[in-house]
Amino acid sequence: MAMMDSEIQNACALIIDSNATSRSLMASQLRDLGVAQVRQATRINDARVILEHKAYDIVLCDYHFDGSEMSGQDLLDELRREHLLPYSTVFVMVTGEASYSKVAEAAEAALDAYLVKPYTMASLSDRLANARHRKRVLKDIFEAIERQDFEAAAGHCLKRFESRGQFWLYAARIGAELLLRLNRFDDARKLYDAIIEAKTVPWARLGVARTELGSGNMAAARRTLETLIGDIPDHADSHDVMGRVQMDLGEIEGALATYRTAAKLTPGCLLRAQRCGCLAFYAGQRPEALKQLEQTMAQGLRSKLFDMLTLVLIGLMRFDNKDSKGLKYAYDAMTSELERHPNSKRLQRFDVLFQCLRFMLDKRVADALELARDLTRRANEQEDFDLEAASLLLALWVRLAAMIELEEMAQLVTLLGLRFCTAKAATEVLVAMTEGNQAVAEELRNSHAKIFSIAETAMRHSMRGSARAGVELLIQQGESTRNAKLIDMASLVLKRHAEKIDDAEQLDEKIQQLQDRYVKPLGAVNRQKRAAGGVALRV
């Protein structure tokens, strides 16, 4: 039996198992090993809430739960995806022979340890001792990440990988994830390729696709993913990344089908269920969207993994169905969250939108219009106003326009289109919110075409030796439209031709100011998430 470390008596443990006999046995074994504090949970949803609010040193979790579609692996995936497990936590999966192969495969990538029933006290002690030892061996990597010194952490990982030091494969995975975060796509690709050559694992092949996606090579990423999904069709993270590629290409229907597959592979996964519901909404498949999103509301409203956008989309659909009770139910849930986070500008926007919908249902159109105008004014002044906020604002105005004639509607649509039609995906999300209003949809697509025409003109300038003129055009149009694509493109063109531009530093300062104000990713105000196929890097 491996000797447990001297700090084990200070550790606290959580046992997650639906079987009372198994829980009692595991609790007794942990106490015999010196663990003083042992808590038990019988259901996955209860365990998720417990782990959201307290960090445990050791988690023993059964793989299979009777009466639940969600497995212990699904729970681990969600916790890691949402950064809810600190690096110090040792997560041990307990499984029967029937699910051994799935757990063994997962252990290569994400698990700290696993046990196959029936197991002995010596096996449990060995697994815990080895897992806690690995945490200590890789301490320099974890401490650098906690300091947000990602360059140093990546350096430690590469050194361990190159020397094939203890736990080199695990270190390599973290290192590749750090290189992706640092936008060092070529270095990350080399590391993933080396891992594949040394030992073929699904997450390394998926890492190659992620480097291709990160560097903008959509065609290569798609080919890699198609091959990986063909070889391993039940690898849910591969479907997640494929869905991302399809969304970036504006293929909402295709992305929905892909995310449906991922959700079926991991039934009970709150994040994937919400994603499917949102995409069904954007694809115009409202009955499916309402059913999916209300199921996630019933299952996970108390969870930190629950996204309040779900409630807003439910509210829009309940309004369209003239269901005042359903609208009020979603609104009440949202206001409860707003009471807990009263300073959240995102939730404040949601609150105003709900109030507008309720006014419109009550035929108080003038009150709704006043709120909508106020929301529009405030939104344009707020720095966290992003594509999500724009799409919801558009959804509100489209519904108002169906009730009364609005002179300012055309101008608003043009402003939103010029600012947020940064790519085909963003344009299609906005078009999806037009509720069949062809004039609004056409104006959004015209805005998309105008932005790309400006970008092409700037590129012609730079290719003909007038790089400064191209940068100035992008800065001027980026400031005028607030379009993130033009602003980012100005930065790229300037960096490429900086040595030929005398006042490059001054131009770069202008671009930085615009980027700080207007370049916001979709969901920037949301929680950070682990990229599909990646390792959660707690920062």
Side-chain angles (χ1 to χ4, degrees):
M1 181 185 297
M3 292 294 293
M4 296 299 292
D5 56 271
S6 59
E7 298 177 357
I8 194 68
Q9 68 269 19
N10 299 321
C12 56
L14 175 66
I15 297 168
I16 312 167
D17 196 315
S18 57
N19 186 288
T21 303
S22 295
R23 289 198 312 275
S24 178
L25 177 61
M26 283 189 276
S28 175
Q29 290 172 332
L30 286 172
R31 291 191 179 100
D32 287 345
L33 290 172
V35 180
Q37 302 176 50
V38 181
R39 186 174 180 180
Q40 301 179 25
T42 61
R43 299 186 305 172
I44 281 187
N45 286 340
D46 294 338
R48 181 166 56 193
V49 173
I50 290 170
L51 289 167
E52 286 176 1
H53 293 89
K54 177 179 168 62
Y56 286 81
D57 301 292
I58 298 167
V59 177
L60 298 184
C61 181
D62 195 33
Y63 182 86
H64 177 73
F65 286 78
D66 291 330
S68 173
E69 292 184 323
M70 197 170 184
S71 68
Q73 184 64 46
D74 294 329
L75 172 65
L76 175 61
D77 286 345
E78 286 213 34
L79 293 170
R80 289 246 163 102
R81 189 182 297 277
E82 289 299 307
H83 300 217
L84 295 173
L85 278 182
Y87 286 124
S88 57
T89 298
V90 172
F91 197 107
V92 182
M93 193 74 71
V94 183
T95 178
E97 291 288 348
S99 49
Y100 165 76
S101 60
K102 289 184 178 180
V103 174
E105 180 182 327
E108 292 183 343
L111 279 175
D112 293 310
Y114 65 93
L115 287 165
V116 180
K117 297 176 182 177
Y119 60 87
T120 64
M121 178 79 148
S123 297
L124 175 61
S125 177
D126 285 342
R127 295 290 196 279
L128 290 178
N130 289 334
R132 287 168 69 84
H133 174 62
R134 183 173 72 177
K135 303 285 186 184
R136 290 191 291 273
V137 169
L138 303 180
K139 186 179 179 181
D140 56 348
I141 297 171
F142 299 147
E143 287 183 344
I145 293 172
E146 296 287 358
R147 310 193 291 272
Q148 299 192 35
D149 188 351
F150 301 136
E151 289 283 0
H156 292 315
C157 291
L158 290 170
K159 183 178 179 181
R160 184 165 294 275
F161 171 75
E162 289 162 0
S163 66
R164 291 301 192 271
Q166 195 175 19
F167 307 123
W168 66 268
L169 183 61
Y170 189 84
R173 185 177 191 190
I174 295 174
E177 194 69 31
L178 289 163
L179 293 170
L180 280 172
R181 180 181 286 267
L182 294 167
N183 293 328
R184 291 169 55 182
F185 301 117
D186 290 341
D187 292 336
R189 172 65 184 265
K190 291 175 185 175
L191 189 53
Y192 280 125
D193 284 340
I195 295 166
I196 292 170
E197 185 177 349
K199 185 175 184 180
T200 300
V201 286
W203 56 260
R205 294 171 65 187
L206 183 56
V208 170
R210 293 172 60 215
T211 64
E212 292 165 340
L213 178 60
S215 58
N217 194 342
M218 294 289 182
R222 190 168 204 155
R223 286 194 299 271
T224 301
L225 289 164
E226 286 171 347
T227 302
L228 178 53
I229 290 171
D231 292 344
I232 312 173
D234 60 351
H235 191 230
D237 276 354
S238 298
H239 293 281
D240 282 340
V241 180
M242 178 61 92
R244 163 79 187 281
V245 170
Q246 290 167 318
M247 275 301 296
D248 283 355
L249 294 171
E251 301 172 5
I252 293 179
E253 292 278 1
L256 173 58
T258 299
Y259 281 126
R260 280 196 195 114
T261 302
K264 286 178 182 177
L265 289 169
T266 55
C269 175
L270 189 62
L271 294 169
R272 290 187 175 116
Q274 287 182 108
R275 190 176 294 133
C276 281
C278 288
L279 281 174
F281 181 94
Y282 295 141
Q285 300 183 25
R286 299 300 166 78
E288 177 188 346
L290 185 59
K291 179 181 178 181
Q292 188 88 55
L293 294 176
E294 290 197 329
Q295 282 180 351
T296 66
M297 180 180 174
Q299 294 168 0
L301 186 57
R302 290 190 305 141
S303 172
K304 289 182 180 179
L305 306 182
F306 186 81
D307 187 354
M308 290 296 137
L309 175 63
T310 294
L311 297 179
V312 180
L313 298 182
I314 290 172
L316 288 170
M317 288 184 284
R318 286 302 181 191
F319 169 83
D320 293 338
N321 294 340
K322 296 182 170 51
D323 181 356
S324 59
K325 288 184 179 179
L327 176 60
K328 183 179 184 302
Y329 184 66
Y331 181 45
D332 288 345
M334 200 284 303
T335 53
S336 295
E337 183 70 9
L338 181 58
E339 288 172 2
R340 288 190 287 271
H341 305 283
N343 296 322
S344 168
K345 289 186 174 66
R346 184 182 187 228
L347 292 178
Q348 290 169 7
R349 282 197 293 266
F350 291 174
D351 181 58
V352 174
L353 186 140
F354 267 109
Q355 290 182 52
C356 286
L357 294 177
R358 297 186 73 187
F359 280 150
M360 284 190 281
L361 268 187
D362 293 339
K363 308 299 183 185
R364 296 170 57 184
V365 180
D367 291 331
L369 182 58
E370 183 179 351
L371 271 182
R373 285 171 173 163
D374 183 56
L375 179 62
T376 304
R377 284 192 296 270
R378 283 191 289 155
N380 284 323
E381 296 167 358
Q382 293 172 347
E383 292 189 356
D384 68 339
F385 187 67
D386 60 3
L387 177 59
E388 175 194 90
S391 68
L392 295 177
L393 186 62
L394 182 63
L396 179 60
W397 278 92
V398 164
R399 285 165 174 79
L400 274 169
M403 302 178 76
I404 57 172
E405 187 173 341
L406 297 170
E407 292 182 1
E408 67 248 67
M409 181 74 174
Q411 182 182 8
L412 173 67
V413 172
T414 300
L415 288 173
L416 291 177
L418 290 176
R419 180 171 180 182
F420 291 104
C421 288
T422 56
K424 188 176 180 182
T427 303
E428 291 305 313
V429 167
L430 290 174
V431 169
M433 306 302 278
T434 61
E435 303 302 318
N437 188 319
Q438 293 301 316
V440 174
E442 184 178 353
E443 179 56 34
L444 291 171
R445 291 199 167 103
N446 288 340
S447 296
H448 176 86
K450 182 175 181 180
I451 293 300
F452 275 74
S453 175
I454 294 169
E456 287 176 356
T457 301
M459 287 305 296
R460 281 198 296 271
H461 281 307
S462 63
M463 291 171 67
R464 292 171 181 171
S466 304
R468 191 183 188 287
V471 173
E472 281 190 319
L473 173 65
L474 291 167
I475 291 175
Q476 186 267 322
Q477 290 294 323
E479 186 171 21
S480 173
T481 63
R482 305 181 180 185
N483 187 281
K485 176 182 175 64
L486 299 182
I487 296 168
D488 279 341
M489 192 174 176
S491 177
L492 291 172
V493 174
L494 180 63
K495 286 176 182 177
R496 186 175 300 170
H497 301 281
E499 57 196 29
K500 303 174 186 176
I501 301 175
D502 294 336
D503 57 344
E505 289 187 8
Q506 291 89 332
L507 292 174
D508 184 56
E509 187 176 336
K510 287 183 181 179
I511 294 169
Q512 286 290 334
Q513 291 172 354
L514 292 174
Q515 286 180 322
D516 290 342
R517 291 188 65 187
Y518 302 127
V519 179
K520 306 287 182 185
L522 175 60
V525 294
N526 278 336
R527 302 170 300 274
Q528 292 181 349
K529 293 184 175 65
R530 174 185 74 86
V535 180
L537 301 177
R538 293 173 61 83
V539 295

